Amino acid sequence: MSGARMSGRDAIVALHAARGARDVVITTMAPARDWMTLPQQPLDLVFVPSAMGHATSIGLGIALAQPERRAIVCNGDGSMLMNLGSLASITGAGASNLVLLVFENGVYEVTGGQRTAGTHVDFAGLARAAGFASVFELSKLEDWTARIGDVLAARGPVFAVLKVEPAAGVPGPKSPGPARERARRLMDALRG
Amino acid sequence: MSSLFSGEQIAGVLDELGITHVVTVPDSTIGQWQSAIEDRGRARLVRVCREGESWEVAAGLYLAGARPIVMIQCTGLFESGDAIRNVLHDWKLPIFAIIGYRSYLNQETLPGDTCLVFTEPILDAWRIDYRLLTEPTQLAAIAEHHRACASEGKPGAIVVAEGKA
């Protein structure tokens, strides 16, 4: 990986500061681990435990049920590879309020940093081909922090690849609590 | 290949239940219901690329206040294992599904189809309370079972026999 990449944690901290009060933020894998270290809001869904790769799908469901609300999905590149079809499902469903951020580090970080099968994949190109209305690719923290408002406000569905450094030796995310109770809290926040 | 139920019948049941979204991958039987569901205009079809996605999309819809169902073939049920574990058992969301049971009524197209071996044991393994419908007279069982599962806040499924010549 190139040294010019931002750290995933710094990218998450910037997103945490920029998210709107009504935004749902869904995090999974390494982004979830970093998100949990920051103050939580009722509209956060730390998708742990998860079905691997399906954060995009749960985000699509939320986005379709509440089109007036922005749904931000923070995915890993390994997870994205596991559910590439969801790119077409998102654009096919016309989920213009969905923002999909792929934290690309080239490895399965939470299992110890093994290379993914897709280090050669052009995720931004895939997103364009799938029909995302706005596509971004950012590797420097200063660019991400400068443009994060533009990314979140762009015509959707929005796809952004954030090229990040793997965090070597950092444990994966632990569930922040019983999933059933967290589902109930999120439902209350979404339906309230 | 005809179906036990027409698209109009299924669309009527979905209306009766207040279903807002049908998250689906078609097969040659349940796929024939799509146009009737869309024409009716009450429930929205959400087309996904693989059946595992359907459970998680339905989960998101449910969390945000919609009333979705999953509509897939039993082969897609086999593909859906990790998503079912996650949605129904980790998050304990009461997602309901209509599942086409390939070759149940007729194995002429696929002699020895192993869907007959695995479909019901897989549903049992995932602890999904299901009703198997094999006759056109059983249409009402769809709404009855959906209501029973909803009242208990648990997931469930209707398995519709397919393969009627």
Side-chain angles (χ1 to χ4, degrees):
Chain A
M1 291 298 134
S2 155
R5 292 170 174 241
M6 64 186 118
S7 87
R9 177 173 166 74
D10 288 346
I12 280 288
V13 168
L15 175 66
H16 190 272
R19 68 91 63 92
R22 283 182 46 79
D23 293 343
V24 181
V25 180
I26 300 157
T27 52
T28 189
M29 299 301 165
R33 178 196 61 210
D34 294 330
W35 189 265
M36 279 188 278
T37 65
L38 302 168
Q40 300 296 289
Q41 296 190 25
L43 289 169
D44 295 348
L45 174 59
V46 172
F47 192 42
V48 179
S50 69
M52 291 184 76
H54 284 165
T56 50
S57 302
I58 205 163
L60 172 58
I62 291 173
L64 292 177
Q66 298 200 358
E68 74 290 352
R69 191 190 293 280
R70 187 162 54 197
I72 303 169
V73 178
C74 300
N75 209 16
D77 52 342
S79 295
M80 193 70 254
L81 289 166
M82 292 185 185
N83 196 6
L84 282 176
S86 67
L87 297 177
S89 301
I90 289 165
T91 55
S96 59
N97 55 327
L98 191 143
V99 177
L100 172 51
L101 307 176
V102 173
F103 291 69
E104 184 196 327
N105 60 13
V107 298
Y108 292 111
E109 188 173 297
V110 303
T111 58
Q114 302 86 358
R115 258 185 65 179
T116 72
T119 52
H120 60 291
V121 167
D122 173 7
F123 286 97
L126 286 177
R128 286 188 193 95
F132 276 75
S134 302
V135 178
F136 301 85
E137 194 169 22
L138 301 151
S139 58
K140 293 180 179 171
L141 182 62
E142 56 267 35
D143 293 338
W144 171 230
T145 53
R147 299 197 63 194
I148 189 166
D150 296 336
V151 171
L152 297 180
R155 189 166 69 89
V158 176
F159 186 97
V161 184
L162 305 179
K163 293 182 178 289
V164 300
E165 287 285 359
V170 182
K174 291 181 179 173
S175 171
R180 183 179 201 165
E181 292 170 20
R182 293 191 290 124
R184 209 168 293 270
R185 284 199 296 271
L186 179 62
M187 277 194 288
D188 290 344
L190 283 168
R191 300 177 182 193
Chain B
M1 195 139 317
S2 64
S3 165
L4 287 184
F5 310 117
S6 70
E8 289 71 22
Q9 285 176 308
I10 294 296
V13 171
L14 300 179
D15 281 359
E16 179 188 337
L17 293 170
I19 299 300
T20 57
H21 298 78
V22 179
V23 191
T24 190
V25 178
D27 71 6
S28 55
T29 299
I30 64 177
Q32 301 304 312
W33 302 339
Q34 288 192 0
S35 58
I37 294 168
E38 284 189 307
D39 290 348
R40 196 120 171 171
R42 303 274 289 275
R44 176 179 173 181
L45 281 181
V46 181
R47 295 176 172 88
V48 294
C49 298
R50 205 162 167 90
E51 291 85 349
E53 278 185 79
S54 65
W55 300 89
E56 301 282 358
V57 173
L61 286 160
Y62 178 83
L63 287 168
R67 202 173 167 87
I69 65 161
V70 166
M71 189 178 285
I72 57 176
Q73 194 188 53
C74 59
T75 50
L77 170 74
F78 306 152
E79 195 277 331
S80 297
D82 193 39
I84 290 173
R85 180 200 53 74
N86 184 239
V87 169
L88 304 189
H89 297 294
D90 287 345
W91 292 91
K92 302 193 187 320
L93 301 181
I95 303 301
F96 197 87
I98 297 178
I99 298 168
Y101 198 158
R102 192 177 79 180
S103 300
Y104 187 91
L105 297 173
N106 184 327
Q107 294 184 62
E108 284 178 9
T109 307
L110 297 169
D113 188 354
T114 54
C115 285
L116 298 172
V117 177
F118 294 111
T119 298
E120 292 178 78
I122 290 289
L123 285 161
D124 290 333
W126 288 119
R127 301 175 186 171
I128 296 175
D129 183 1
Y130 68 93
R131 299 288 179 275
L132 171 60
L133 309 188
T134 60
E135 300 288 340
T137 54
Q138 293 176 295
L139 179 68
I142 300 175
E144 287 167 10
H145 189 46
H146 185 283
R147 287 197 182 98
C149 291
S151 71
E152 294 181 47
K154 69 177 189 182
I158 288 291
V159 183
V160 179
E162 295 181 344
K164 186 181 176 191

